[in-house]
Amino acid sequence: MTNPLNQPKLFDECGASADDELSAVTRHLRVADPEGLRFARVIRETYDMLLDGQHTGRYRWDELYKTEKTHFGTLVEINLQREFRFADGATMDFAICGVDVDCKFSQKLAAWMIPPEAMTHLLLGLWANDDDGLWSAGLIRATEEVLSRSEGNRDRKRQLSKSGRSQVTWVFKDRPLPENALLRIPPETVKEIFGHTHGTKRVDALFRLAQGRRISRTVVATVARQDDYMKRVRGNGGSRSSLRPDGIVILGQYSSHVAIAKALHLPAPGLGEFVSVRLARRKAHHRDMPSVRLDGDDWVVAVPGLDDRIEQAPALPSTKRQEE
């Protein structure tokens, strides 16, 4: 519903919001992205674009230059518009359900800088923290009632007041961000991975030392630092070949690989992801451990302390699709 008089947020006699435009935009976003997975993917991709790990080796927010951090908001706005195909707004960034919406990002929750020209308009505010692995998105209309009195900078931008922050309609709040595995692996392990001179050895170390967790292509690219980084994973000379004598398999996004991961109670690799694990032939001491049939034998996840000797890993099921 449009607001031809450009009126600020209305309230019913009980004090509850009666902002039909805000409600319509909220519904639209939740229908377009019920679980917030598309928003989360856009934010993850924006982080990865700025870090550019393949060419820089960077994987942490604090490794970015100040100007790059400032540019994050612009990039995430562009990437959201591409993902959801939002129309251009008449005066604001987007038009959603025919409503002009300004898009803002802040490194602190609800600390968006709101310019004078956004007054009376809806604001789609984003926040994310890669270290915490969380993100949020909320809507609020910029009115005098919700903004701080003091102008925050020379551009006369203002932030939400304490009361204003409590009035944000959170479309998604504290949702998980697709993982940057290099931020979850112990720092000493990351140092060991990057300590190898050659990209091939670094990728081998990644899958040897970070078993049982999802590893994205972006992480592989950051570790390999090579144009043909995916070649370092494949079975024809990549890590799948070099780690097999150590009993380690690398599961990919294929349905047969996902089925193996689920059978072994491992994280299932998603699109563009890998999960490595050392396997052992099933023996009596494994008892009721989950197993999978490969190469004519039953295999379990090798457990340190169970005397699971290192042996060559079984061949994974062939795939009709081209290797990752």
Side-chain angles (χ1 to χ4, degrees):
M1 178 178 178
T2 59
N3 189 353
L5 298 179
N6 203 26
Q7 294 294 321
K9 181 184 290 188
L10 302 176
F11 295 86
D12 63 24
E13 58 187 17
C14 297
S17 171
D19 193 322
D20 292 337
E21 291 184 343
L22 187 150
S23 297
V25 173
T26 300
R27 286 195 301 271
H28 178 87
L29 294 177
R30 287 176 175 163
V31 169
D33 192 11
E35 303 299 323
L37 299 180
R38 295 170 70 186
F39 265 89
R41 184 174 66 250
V42 166
I43 295 170
R44 172 77 272 152
E45 290 174 353
T46 304
Y47 272 119
D48 294 340
M49 284 175 64
L50 272 180
L51 290 166
D52 191 19
Q54 180 180 347
H55 301 105
T56 67
R58 301 179 305 184
Y59 61 91
R60 300 193 312 270
W61 175 262
D62 60 15
E63 293 177 303
L64 293 173
Y65 294 113
K66 182 178 179 180
T67 51
E68 291 176 309
K69 293 177 181 178
T70 303
H71 194 43
F72 188 96
T74 301
L75 277 180
V76 78
E77 173 192 324
I78 292 170
N79 292 337
L80 278 176
Q81 187 165 25
R82 288 174 177 172
E83 172 66 26
F84 291 94
R85 298 184 179 179
F86 296 141
D88 288 334
T91 57
M92 296 291 102
D93 297 320
F94 308 142
I96 304 175
C97 300
V99 180
D100 262 21
V101 178
D102 199 27
C103 183
K104 295 297 179 186
F105 173 84
S106 62
Q107 297 173 37
K108 294 182 179 179
L109 187 65
W112 308 301
M113 299 301 296
I114 304 169
E117 59 269 23
M119 286 296 294
T120 75
H121 289 285
L122 286 184
L123 170 74
L124 172 61
L126 302 170
W127 165 84
N129 187 303
D130 206 9
D131 290 325
D132 294 338
L134 296 172
W135 67 276
S136 298
L139 287 165
I140 192 167
R141 189 177 294 280
T143 65
E144 290 293 341
E145 290 79 9
V146 302
L147 295 181
S148 61
R149 293 184 178 181
S150 60
E151 296 173 354
N153 58 25
R154 62 185 180 185
D155 296 325
R156 299 168 55 212
K157 294 180 180 179
R158 291 189 285 171
Q159 292 182 303
L160 296 177
S161 63
K162 182 178 180 180
S163 173
R165 291 194 295 273
S166 70
Q167 295 183 49
V168 174
T169 297
W170 292 107
V171 187
F172 304 105
K173 183 73 179 296
D174 291 338
R175 294 298 181 92
L177 190 65
E179 185 177 78
N180 176 353
L182 292 172
L183 293 177
R184 305 291 172 256
I185 300 170
E188 60 273 16
T189 302
V190 175
K191 184 177 180 180
E192 182 176 349
I193 291 169
F194 281 99
H196 293 274
T197 303
H198 299 292
T200 300
K201 294 298 182 182
R202 290 195 295 270
V203 175
D204 284 352
L206 171 67
F207 287 114
R208 180 182 293 109
L209 299 174
Q211 295 183 37
R213 65 167 62 248
R214 296 183 181 92
I215 302 294
S216 68
R217 290 189 180 192
T218 299
V219 168
V220 174
T222 301
V223 170
R225 297 284 304 275
Q226 295 170 327
D227 290 338
D228 57 349
Y229 62 92
M230 288 306 300
K231 184 179 179 180
R232 309 307 163 194
V233 182
R234 296 175 183 145
N236 54 346
S239 293
R240 281 196 173 115
S241 296
S242 58
L243 297 181
R244 190 179 175 194
D246 296 329
I248 298 173
V249 297
I250 301 175
L251 305 173
Q253 65 189 31
Y254 305 124
S255 59
S256 59
H257 291 197
V258 171
I260 292 170
K262 290 180 177 179
L264 295 174
H265 296 185
L266 294 168
L271 184 65
E273 292 181 331
F274 307 94
V275 174
S276 62
V277 64
R278 184 168 77 86
L279 300 180
R281 292 179 199 271
R282 186 183 182 88
K283 298 292 194 319
H285 66 267
H286 293 124
R287 298 185 178 181
D288 58 351
M289 286 180 60
S291 62
V292 65
R293 191 79 172 175
L294 295 169
D295 268 1
D297 287 303
D298 291 327
W299 297 80
V300 300
V301 175
V303 180
L306 285 185
D307 196 28
D308 290 335
R309 66 182 181 85
I310 294 177
E311 55 186 322
Q312 179 159 296
L316 294 176
S318 60
T319 58
K320 293 182 180 180
R321 291 174 57 189
Q322 186 178 1
E323 278 273 350
E324 294 110 322

